[in-house]
Amino acid sequence: MTTQTPQKMEFQAEVKQLLNLVIHSLYSHKEIFLRELISNASDAIDKARFESLTRLELLGDDATFKIRVEADKDKSILRISDNGIGMNREELVRNIGTIASSGTKKFLEQLTGDQKKDMNLIGQFGVGFYAVFMVADKVVLTTRRLGESGSAVRWESSGDGAYTMEDADKSSRGTELEIHLKEEDKEFLEDWTIRNIIRKYSEYIAYPIALIDKDGKEEVLNAKPPLWRRSKSEITAEQYHEFYKHISHAEENPLAWSHNQIEGALEYTSLLYVPGKAPYDLYYPERKHGLSLYVRRVFIMNDCKELLPNYLRFMRGVVDSEDLPLNVSREILQKNAVIQKISQATTKKVLNLLETLSKEDAEKYASFWKEFGAVLKEGFHMNWENLDELKRLVRFESSRMQADKYRGLQDYVVDMKEGQKDIYYITAENRKAAEGSPHLEVFRKKDIEVLYFTDAIDEWVAQSLTEFDGKKLVNAAKGDLDLGDLSKEEKKQQKEAKGQYQKFMKDFEEKMSATLKEVRVTTRLAESPCCLVADEGDLGANLERILKMTNQKVPDSKRILEINPDHPIIQKLNGIFEADSTNPKLADWYGVLVDQALLAEGSPIPEPAAYVSKVNKFLAEVLGG
Ligand code: ADP
Ligand code: MG
């Protein structure tokens, strides 16, 4: 019996904020509270089942897992109970009284004011329990933790900022919720309504959900086997869509899926979805993987990292194996040969699925690429296994395409100019910077396509993606540019100019030796007087910028200045140098040209104030000051 007085506790500040929002702002889609509570009950049973795998005695004579839903119309109470893991006092305070703070903060930041979107966020961010306060003016939760002999706990709250806890009489394990419905939400007591909502959201829940009528008769609402176990020919596209939405809390349809029922040496089923939209936390280091692992229909775990490499973590779906033992743990999975084989085959399946999508529906593939391309590109890093597949899947923006349209390497090669040997790319902060770069002048003049590597990760992609279809990938801003037969004219000019500008270049080089490695005649420029290029083995300007941004030490590497012998500034400057090689202004002019080359490629200049004062001096001279 319980004699002690209830212990009164305050909700954590973030929870209060959230409750306030749930109670006062979210009125549409109230029905999702039921989805959230049933999903919690199912999670709780998963955990109980998992804990008891090795200690079956924990379950006692209550070994049939079940979720029960019962409406008491006279009292306006909806009861939902499960024989899952339950909670003790500490767990109640931690799980219901507080929320992992970073998650809540992000949730609150992401709120859009659009109710439909905001409700969807509630599912994604794992603050689902509080949805019950959309329909309840009081909730009583009674719970007993699996395997603990202490007292059960009764928790009660009206969602108004505080809750109470006290000992309770409940001898069976699990959680029972007593939801006191608000006057205007009594519809949730109707059998018909409850049945529909549960069918809609909880069809694939792995445990029976029983609706109890007023005579105590049970009706199981989710009697179908899980979707992935049914034969492919019996499943409609709509059912595939629904299942995807169910497992990923998504609103949109998936872009593509692949359902594989594998028999032979290994037996397993996989249902793999390419999502339509990226989750908010795709790039967070703790981002979860999207595949769940089942063994002979029994749920083992969500976000099973062992099933797919990290660069495919955006995929959603299920793998159900016949061969793994039920009591697999994460530690076992890491070394398990079965899982490694499944993982290799599943990786191939996903890459094939993506390739098929790219061939059959370019528009959908582009939308996939926009959402997930940068993640897929992580696959180039330290990965030789599926490099060929990845090369066929990778897309970039390019000088030939308008913004947001993507180009694959295969298409690039098909459209190469006659006489073009290599594939050209430029790395830059964004499309604008790439387009403005002086390094592309000769490419524009000759109408040669250049791929834009504008994601930060592209610098690393470039290190693995050095060849495609027998053609080298060449950085347009690095090394000695040789366009082969296409630059015959430039090479001839370069040779002539070399002799003519020899002494001038030497002087330039000497005076700027602190910043420059070399000064030479260009084959890349058409309109600009000069540009900076990196030596073959050195870091490029873009990589340097990225490394500095992430506070990494960047080795000092001097750049090469290329001058355009056709440009009037270079020609005049050479004239001045030849007339008087001791002219004291030469050093200033050289300095300004180097600074301008930095600005043109989007790099910072080392001493902006000195640059401005030099330019002002020149302006004053020109203006007759
Ligand atoms: P989420 O389910 O995403 O973790 P919720 O707000 O739905 O977020 O639930 C918060 C936590 O409360 C759960 O993670 C779980 O630990 C606990 N919980 C909720 N319902 C139950 C239940 N029926 N049985 C046991 N624990 C539960
Ligand atoms: Mg939940």
Side-chain angles (χ1 to χ4, degrees):
M1 278 310 290
T2 62
T3 46
Q4 35 118 239
T5 48
Q7 174 188 12
K8 187 161 183 191
M9 307 269 291
E10 292 270 309
F11 282 113
Q12 182 196 30
E14 279 94 342
V15 178
K16 283 189 196 168
Q17 197 180 350
L18 188 66
L19 279 170
N20 199 31
L21 174 100
V22 164
I23 294 169
H24 298 294
S25 317
L26 301 167
Y27 320 102
S28 63
H29 293 78
K30 281 185 172 188
E31 62 182 31
I32 65 123
F33 86 93
L34 200 50
R35 173 188 79 186
E36 295 299 329
L37 297 181
I38 287 183
S39 124
N40 284 351
S42 168
D43 289 349
I45 295 178
D46 281 340
K47 287 178 199 157
R49 202 195 44 73
F50 198 71
E51 254 185 46
S52 62
L53 278 178
T54 48
R55 294 173 61 199
L56 257 179
E57 71 279 6
L58 281 178
L59 300 180
D61 52 12
D62 187 10
T64 313
F65 292 114
K66 192 183 276 183
I67 300 164
R68 294 161 57 100
V69 182
E70 194 174 358
D72 182 337
K73 285 195 186 157
D74 297 337
K75 295 196 185 128
S76 291
I77 291 175
L78 183 67
R79 289 200 176 80
I80 300 175
S81 63
D82 63 71
N83 53 358
I85 188 125
M87 285 176 272
N88 58 31
R89 261 184 202 235
E90 288 77 43
E91 287 168 335
L92 256 173
V93 172
R94 197 172 56 234
N95 299 338
I96 307 274
T98 52
I99 332 175
S101 60
S102 63
T104 318
K105 282 208 193 80
K106 268 166 208 137
F107 169 77
L108 293 167
E109 278 164 20
Q110 300 237 344
L111 287 175
T112 57
D114 175 338
Q115 292 205 359
K116 203 160 165 227
K117 286 201 189 115
D118 290 349
M119 284 318 293
N120 193 41
L121 278 173
I122 286 192
Q124 266 197 41
F125 279 81
V127 288
F129 174 80
Y130 305 100
V132 72
F133 287 104
M134 288 193 294
V135 298
D137 44 30
K138 185 167 93 178
V139 175
V140 178
L141 183 156
T142 313
T143 181
R144 166 179 285 285
R145 177 68 165 82
L146 168 85
E148 288 184 12
S149 56
S151 175
V153 198
R154 182 181 191 276
W155 177 102
E156 184 183 322
S157 176
S158 308
D160 53 0
Y163 58 91
T164 59
M165 288 193 300
E166 61 195 299
D167 287 352
D169 292 322
K170 177 178 175 16
S171 54
S172 59
R173 94 177 161 261
T175 301
E176 181 182 325
L177 275 165
E178 210 180 272
I179 303 159
H180 296 250
L181 290 168
K182 292 181 192 170
E183 188 58 39
E184 67 268 29
D185 295 311
K186 297 229 164 108
E187 55 174 312
F188 296 112
L189 294 167
E190 301 301 330
D191 279 9
W192 187 85
T193 313
I194 297 171
R195 216 181 267 130
N196 277 332
I197 300 173
I198 291 180
R199 290 230 169 96
K200 179 160 161 202
Y201 293 113
S202 310
E203 186 181 4
Y204 305 107
I205 291 285
Y207 309 102
I209 304 168
L211 182 61
I212 321 285
D213 72 10
K214 56 184 189 310
D215 307 319
K217 278 211 302 288
E218 291 191 1
E219 177 195 356
V220 173
L221 301 178
N222 57 336
K224 286 189 214 163
L227 182 85
W228 65 87
R229 287 296 192 125
R230 290 187 232 157
S231 146
K232 280 158 84 165
S233 58
E234 287 168 19
I235 310 174
T236 64
E238 206 182 347
Q239 285 170 319
Y240 277 119
H241 290 172
E242 279 310 310
F243 184 65
Y244 163 75
K245 289 178 184 172
H246 170 74
I247 58 172
S248 59
H249 293 290
E251 276 181 44
E252 74 292 339
N253 287 336
L255 287 177
W257 64 88
S258 160
H259 187 183
N260 315 284
Q261 288 158 331
I262 312 287
E263 285 173 17
L266 278 185
E267 261 181 58
Y268 63 95
T269 301
S270 65
L271 177 50
L272 312 164
Y273 287 101
V274 182
K277 288 238 154 54
Y280 73 98
D281 59 352
L282 187 58
Y283 295 99
Y284 294 3
E286 72 277 19
R287 163 73 201 162
K288 291 179 172 167
H289 281 229
L291 296 193
S292 301
L293 177 66
Y294 285 74
V295 170
R296 294 182 289 283
R297 294 184 198 211
V298 177
F299 172 83
I300 302 296
M301 64 179 75
N302 286 323
D303 61 272
C304 184
K305 287 189 173 60
E306 288 73 18
L307 285 171
L308 282 177
N310 223 3
Y311 68 89
L312 298 176
R313 61 183 177 275
F314 56 84
M315 290 294 293
R316 294 282 188 167
V318 170
V319 170
D320 187 357
S321 158
E322 294 294 309
D323 307 295
L324 287 167
L326 269 185
N327 60 350
V328 281
S329 63
R330 281 238 136 93
E331 294 68 47
I332 296 176
L333 281 181
Q334 280 158 13
K335 298 178 224 109
N336 184 285
V338 170
I339 208 89
Q340 278 167 11
K341 283 194 189 121
I342 294 179
S343 164
Q344 280 165 4
T346 308
T347 303
K348 289 266 186 234
K349 275 274 183 269
V350 172
L351 296 174
N352 288 343
L353 175 64
L354 292 173
E355 193 166 352
T356 310
L357 181 68
S358 75
K359 285 184 181 146
E360 287 176 356
D361 194 332
E363 204 170 301
K364 269 194 187 164
Y365 191 71
S367 102
F368 158 76
W369 190 258
K370 208 177 163 106
E371 294 286 318
F372 301 108
V375 180
L376 195 77
K377 281 193 267 185
E378 291 173 20
F380 280 97
H381 195 50
M382 313 283 283
N383 176 13
W384 289 273
E385 228 167 282
N386 295 301
L387 208 51
D388 287 336
E389 283 88 342
L390 285 171
K391 284 180 184 178
R392 292 197 296 271
L393 291 174
V394 74
R395 297 289 182 273
F396 301 99
E397 290 199 49
S398 106
S399 58
R400 186 164 297 184
M401 314 294 284
Q402 53 197 120
D404 278 344
K405 292 270 181 274
Y406 302 103
R407 194 82 162 135
L409 295 172
Q410 256 157 337
D411 288 344
Y412 180 102
V413 168
V414 169
D415 291 338
M416 269 167 53
K417 292 213 81 142
E418 212 175 298
Q420 181 182 348
K421 291 201 309 278
D422 300 325
I423 297 170
Y424 297 102
Y425 67 90
I426 184 159
T427 65
E429 185 172 4
N430 51 44
R431 186 182 174 97
K432 239 193 155 132
E435 282 173 340
S437 164
H439 302 104
L440 296 195
E441 288 174 6
V442 69
F443 293 93
R444 218 170 290 135
K445 188 167 133 197
K446 300 195 173 292
D447 190 29
I448 298 173
E449 180 172 14
V450 179
L451 299 172
Y452 295 157
F453 280 29
T454 48
D455 274 330
I457 190 164
D458 290 342
E459 287 285 353
W460 284 269
V461 171
Q463 287 171 22
S464 307
L465 184 53
T466 52
E467 177 274 340
F468 178 79
D469 194 19
K471 291 162 189 68
K472 273 200 313 202
L473 272 92
V474 173
N475 186 332
K478 256 191 180 181
D480 219 348
L481 187 70
D482 182 0
L483 299 178
D485 287 350
L486 289 170
S487 58
K488 269 193 192 132
E489 184 195 333
E490 280 79 7
K491 277 190 267 186
K492 200 170 130 235
Q493 271 179 356
Q494 184 188 38
K495 216 166 164 195
E496 284 168 13
K498 230 180 193 161
Q500 197 189 334
Y501 286 85
Q502 189 97 46
K503 289 200 183 114
F504 167 69
M505 291 194 294
K506 190 127 198 4
D507 186 56
F508 204 139
E509 215 170 278
E510 273 167 18
K511 292 209 165 72
M512 298 299 296
S513 65
T515 30
L516 298 180
K517 196 178 211 171
E518 189 191 342
V519 177
R520 69 187 180 204
V521 179
T522 193
T523 54
R524 343 178 176 240
L525 296 173
E527 295 117 41
S528 300
C530 57
C531 69
L532 287 163
V533 300
D535 215 352
E536 205 67 69
D538 288 344
L539 297 182
N542 188 54
L543 183 52
E544 213 175 289
R545 178 185 62 81
I546 293 170
L547 292 177
K548 281 186 179 153
M549 226 163 55
T550 53
N551 284 327
Q552 300 195 54
K553 267 228 157 67
V554 179
D556 271 332
S557 62
K558 293 182 188 174
R559 312 270 302 277
I560 297 166
L561 186 82
E562 291 195 351
I563 57 164
N564 177 0
D566 284 342
H567 199 282
I569 291 184
I570 298 297
Q571 289 169 346
K572 288 239 167 71
L573 212 49
N574 185 39
I576 290 169
F577 168 77
E578 283 184 337
D580 175 10
S581 66
T582 64
N583 187 333
K585 286 183 183 160
L586 280 168
D588 276 355
W589 279 322
Y590 295 160
V592 166
L593 281 178
V594 172
D595 281 349
Q596 286 187 338
L598 285 169
L599 289 172
E601 67 175 25
S603 296
I605 50 176
E607 293 177 63
Y611 168 78
V612 170
S613 107
K614 279 181 226 161
V615 171
N616 282 346
K617 215 162 74 191
F618 298 154
L619 283 177
E621 278 168 25
V622 174
L623 297 171

